[in-house]
Amino acid sequence: MSVLGFDIGNLNCYIGVARQGGIEVITNDYSLHATPACVSFGPKDRSMGVAARQAVNTNIKNTIINFKHLIGRKFSDPVAQRFIPFIPCKVVQLPNDDIGIQVSYLDEPHTFTPEQVLAALLTKLRNIVESQLTDVKKVSDCVLAVPSYFTDVQRRAVLSAIQYAGLNSLRVINETTAIALAYGIYKQDLPEEDAKPRNVVFLDIGHSSTQASLVSFNRGKLQMVNTSYDLEAGGLWFDALIREHFRKEFKSKYGIDAATSPRPWLRLLDECERVKKQMSANQTPIPLNIECFMEDKDVTGKMQRQEFEELAAPIFNRIKQVLVNLFTEDVSIKPEHVEEIEIVGGSSRIPMIRQIVKELFGKEPKTTMNQDEAVARGAAMQCAILSPTFRVREFAIKDSQPYRIRLSWNGPGDNGGENDVFAPRDEVPFSKLVSLLRSGPFQVEAHYAQPNIVPHNQVHIGSWKVNGARPGPDGANQKVKVKVRVNPDGVFTIASATMYEPRIVEEAPAEPMDVDGSTNSEAPAEPQELIKKTKLVPVELEVIESIPVAYDVQKFQQLELQMQAVDAKEKAKADAKNSLEEYVYEMRDKVSEQYADFITPAAAEDFRSVLSSTEDWLYDEGENAERDVYEKRLSELKAVGTPVVERYREYETRKPAFDAFDQSILRIRRSYEDYANGGPTFAHLDSKEMEKVINAIEDKKKWLDEARHKQETRPKTDAPVVFTEEINQQKIAFENIVHPILNKKKPAAPAPPKKEEPQPAAGDQPQSQPGEMDVD
């Protein structure tokens, strides 16, 4: 069973794997821990991760990046509109205000949803795991981390994407919770369970947003006290700020506007990210130089850390406010009660972040956690806790949900109504019962009660039709208990609805008792009348769910499988082409050098000619041939080249094999001569056995000399007379005959004869020994 944790960032993804020695973040096919959250589509197949990101400038209209915050959103959502400009391909509005991403795939226009793009990325991550971990044949179970502020519809969208990719989600965990888990489970110095907890603040400055969490730790458990976030503070917004600065500078300096052309605009964003990272480590001005930027013009500029900090002051203030928002009036913990502040996320390396933390808390932030991998490690640890294949020390997680959820109902009964069933910071997973008086089928609606604090324009969570409710025998309303639940994935649902219906049941009366309270079992049994009572009997009602966005999992899963099949076919074809190309290059050089003595000049010339024509074909008609065509051509080349390679390898290994066999025969001959000369080492051996030894020596020596002579008179360009494998087999057969004979141990020396004790004369009685008694 795979035990995996996926951190899907807006910029990069990380894969955490649980091992017996702990959590490991594995590398991808480019030996990097970070896999870009990038998917591109081409005329033959898809590419994801590093390959897609590296080719973005040449395939910009069909490459999708920065799509994380489009998942589970509508096109008109203000948050979606903020991120769409950072996606280089075309993003369109679909029916029902859904988001569509238009690309050219297999030379045809296609429109994909953000959930399909996420599924493609998850497929890539799964392939990385299966290729990098030899002990994992097929990946299925995983835990995926999402921002703590993701709403119900976004979490459902993520779960659907996981299913599209053919994976099984054990849990969708909050990124803030994953970080806290990765911190707490290894700490040995946490307060005891009944002691005052240790309060820790985690500040995660990611690429697209900033999250903060206030967590209380005791030994073996954590409690999420509060979380806060800002969707306009993060690495992308710093990069965009620097880019806008240079856009204005280049417009006035060179008369070009990078924002008018997608390719230079994206290229400038990448360069600004590099400048930002270098400014974090240097106070000197950092240069920005781009050749042939636009209109064949080279551009240059520079920025210093102090200038950047002044420029980004509004974003730094937003990050500070995220920390302040943790300590609301209804939170009993104050900043002075915080013992540690851990900072994670790529942009937490900016020096100003440390200064903000120190000003607010009066202490330096800590960086004991891996700033890039903390979320993936926590997600993998959660997967290990849920997995039956790992034994993990007990660690309780008391998570919370961030929004107020209101339930409303209508239909036959005691009129309609509404009630808040979950408040911000309520523990999850958790279930609650709502009691209603109903006389017929009714509908329950759930929505977020405070739309202004929910970062989503879809505040309606879902509707549930409850069938089977009916009036009581007297026509009155009956009690119905509706069980509402926020599950471990953070998804709200109506778990069940139960009606309590009065029914008349018959019961036997209690047995009569004596004065002392005991029953009189000796009293004659008399027929007694049954007593009728009214009891409330639970009746399970049918609940039909209707959510705002329904995902056709089967349809999109099938589409993903079809694209995976195309990818696999194209990869096999590319591998076959690469194998043919590599063979051509390898043999072309070696035939003239390393293998020159093992092929006739005429054959070598013909072979080089075929190799050259194959190379020309590869870059002309064979540029896009089928897999079997490449394999056939490779097979034809190997029919000529393999015997040459074989003759070379045999030549290299045959002489050492001959020499080793010769040495073995020589050693055995010396042993036989020692026996023949009466030496003590083998004097114990039987003459017939030693006759077998000398016969084997003579026989194998004759074979060896003849084989060596035949081979030495054979041209190097001809097939070998004898192969190294045959020489080794002859040597083994020879040693199997002689070694068992020569290794026989000498027989043990006979034991000295025992001295005979004198026997007592007839009639004499043996004397008793100490401790014995004679019995007459």
Side-chain angles (χ1 to χ4, degrees), residues 99-143:
I99 296 174
I101 304 174
Q102 288 186 346
V103 295
S104 175
Y105 174 53
L106 304 180
D107 291 325
E108 294 180 358
H110 283 74
T111 301
F112 295 101
T113 65
E115 292 75 29
Q116 284 181 278
V117 179
L118 175 58
L121 189 59
L122 290 172
T123 296
K124 174 63 177 179
L125 299 183
R126 182 184 64 193
N127 292 340
I128 289 172
V129 175
E130 291 174 351
S131 63
Q132 296 295 317
L133 304 182
T134 55
D135 57 334
V136 177
K137 294 182 179 179
K138 184 173 177 60
V139 171
S140 56
D141 298 330
C142 65
V143 167

Side-chain angles (χ1 to χ4, degrees), residues 306-320:
Q306 183 179 354
E307 183 182 3
F308 165 66
E309 290 174 349
E310 292 173 358
L311 195 66
I315 298 179
F316 289 126
N317 288 335
R318 297 183 77 100
I319 293 174
K320 183 176 182 179

Side-chain angles (χ1 to χ4, degrees), residues 56-123:
V56 65
N57 286 322
T58 58
N59 191 30
I60 191 166
K61 292 183 178 180
N62 302 307
T63 302
I64 306 170
I65 56 176
N66 297 317
F67 64 90
K68 177 176 179 177
H69 291 280
L70 271 57
I71 298 168
R73 292 188 184 274
K74 296 295 185 181
F75 185 84
S76 59
D77 191 312
V79 175
Q81 288 300 314
R82 282 203 298 271
F83 281 93
I84 286 174
F86 293 96
I87 300 174
C89 54
K90 190 174 182 181
V91 181
V92 297
Q93 186 176 18
L94 299 178
N96 199 29
D97 198 28
D98 291 334
I99 296 174
I101 304 174
Q102 288 186 346
V103 295
S104 175
Y105 174 53
L106 304 180
D107 291 325
E108 294 180 358
H110 283 74
T111 301
F112 295 101
T113 65
E115 292 75 29
Q116 284 181 278
V117 179
L118 175 58
L121 189 59
L122 290 172
T123 296

Side-chain angles (χ1 to χ4, degrees), residues 199 201 214 323-324 326-327 331-341 360-363:
N199 300 315
V201 166
L214 175 59
L323 292 169
V324 172
L326 288 175
F327 305 96
V331 174
S332 59
I333 301 172
K334 303 305 175 188
E336 55 269 23
H337 301 149
V338 174
E339 296 183 38
E340 293 180 8
I341 305 95
L360 188 59
F361 294 97
K363 57 187 70 174

Side-chain angles (χ1 to χ4, degrees), residues 124-399:
K124 174 63 177 179
L125 299 183
R126 182 184 64 193
N127 292 340
I128 289 172
V129 175
E130 291 174 351
S131 63
Q132 296 295 317
L133 304 182
T134 55
D135 57 334
V136 177
K137 294 182 179 179
K138 184 173 177 60
V139 171
S140 56
D141 298 330
C142 65
V143 167
L144 193 144
V146 300
S148 61
Y149 51 80
F150 261 28
T151 62
D152 196 272
V153 68
Q154 289 174 286
R155 293 172 186 272
R156 289 179 185 269
V158 169
L159 287 167
S160 298
I162 294 172
Q163 290 180 286
Y164 296 172
L167 295 168
N168 176 46
S169 172
L170 296 183
R171 183 161 299 178
V172 171
I173 189 173
N174 291 332
E175 292 170 356
T176 49
T177 308
I179 294 169
L181 176 60
Y183 169 91
I185 197 162
Y186 290 115
K187 291 290 183 182
Q188 301 294 328
D189 59 344
L190 294 177
E192 294 298 327
E193 189 172 351
D194 54 351
K196 182 181 177 182
R198 177 187 298 175
N199 300 315
V200 181
V201 166
F202 298 95
L203 178 61
D204 178 10
I205 307 177
H207 185 245
S208 57
S209 66
T210 294
Q211 300 178 80
S213 58
L214 175 59
V215 188
S216 293
F217 289 94
N218 287 90
R219 186 180 296 276
K221 68 176 182 179
L222 71 83
Q223 179 180 356
M224 188 63 61
V225 179
N226 200 6
T227 59
S228 60
Y229 64 91
D230 193 316
L231 279 165
E232 296 182 53
L236 178 63
W237 309 111
F238 287 123
D239 300 341
L241 202 68
I242 301 171
R243 179 174 68 170
E244 180 61 21
H245 168 82
F246 283 114
R247 184 193 72 85
K248 294 176 180 178
E249 181 178 320
F250 295 159
K251 187 175 182 180
S252 62
K253 193 173 178 181
Y254 301 101
I256 54 176
D257 188 354
T260 59
S261 181
R263 190 173 282 106
W265 193 227
L266 179 60
R267 190 178 175 190
L268 182 57
L269 186 68
D270 290 343
E271 287 296 320
C272 291
E273 180 187 8
R274 180 189 59 80
V275 169
K276 176 193 69 179
K277 291 178 178 179
Q278 290 185 358
M279 284 191 295
S280 297
N282 300 278
Q283 292 190 359
T284 57
I286 303 300
L288 183 146
N289 301 308
I290 309 176
E291 295 182 355
C292 295
F293 181 58
M294 280 183 73
E295 301 174 6
D296 293 330
K297 293 182 179 180
D298 301 339
V299 296
T300 181
K302 61 181 179 179
M303 180 175 283
Q304 198 166 0
R305 184 194 296 175
Q306 183 179 354
E307 183 182 3
F308 165 66
E309 290 174 349
E310 292 173 358
L311 195 66
I315 298 179
F316 289 126
N317 288 335
R318 297 183 77 100
I319 293 174
K320 183 176 182 179
Q321 191 59 43
V322 170
L323 292 169
V324 172
N325 290 344
L326 288 175
F327 305 96
T328 55
E329 293 181 358
D330 52 346
V331 174
S332 59
I333 301 172
K334 303 305 175 188
E336 55 269 23
H337 301 149
V338 174
E339 296 183 38
E340 293 180 8
I341 305 95
E342 284 278 352
I343 56 175
V344 296
S347 293
S348 64
R349 296 178 175 90
I350 297 174
M352 179 57 73
I353 301 301
R354 303 182 71 89
Q355 186 176 328
I356 290 171
V357 170
K358 188 173 182 180
E359 288 176 359
L360 188 59
F361 294 97
K363 57 187 70 174
E364 290 284 346
K366 292 189 174 182
T367 54
T368 60
M369 306 179 71
N370 188 300
Q371 290 168 286
D372 296 317
E373 302 171 2
V375 174
R377 290 178 179 276
M381 182 58 72
Q382 175 67 88
C383 193
I385 291 172
L386 298 173
S387 169
T389 60
F390 277 84
R391 292 183 60 187
V392 183
R393 75 163 61 98
E394 292 186 10
F395 199 87
I397 302 172
K398 189 176 180 181
D399 207 349

Side-chain angles (χ1 to χ4, degrees), residues 487-511:
N487 68 19
D489 298 322
V491 173
F492 178 89
T493 186
I494 302 293
S496 64
T498 306
M499 178 178 68
Y500 290 84
E501 190 171 43
R503 292 184 185 175
I504 298 175
V505 296
E506 294 182 338
E507 293 183 354
E511 293 185 17

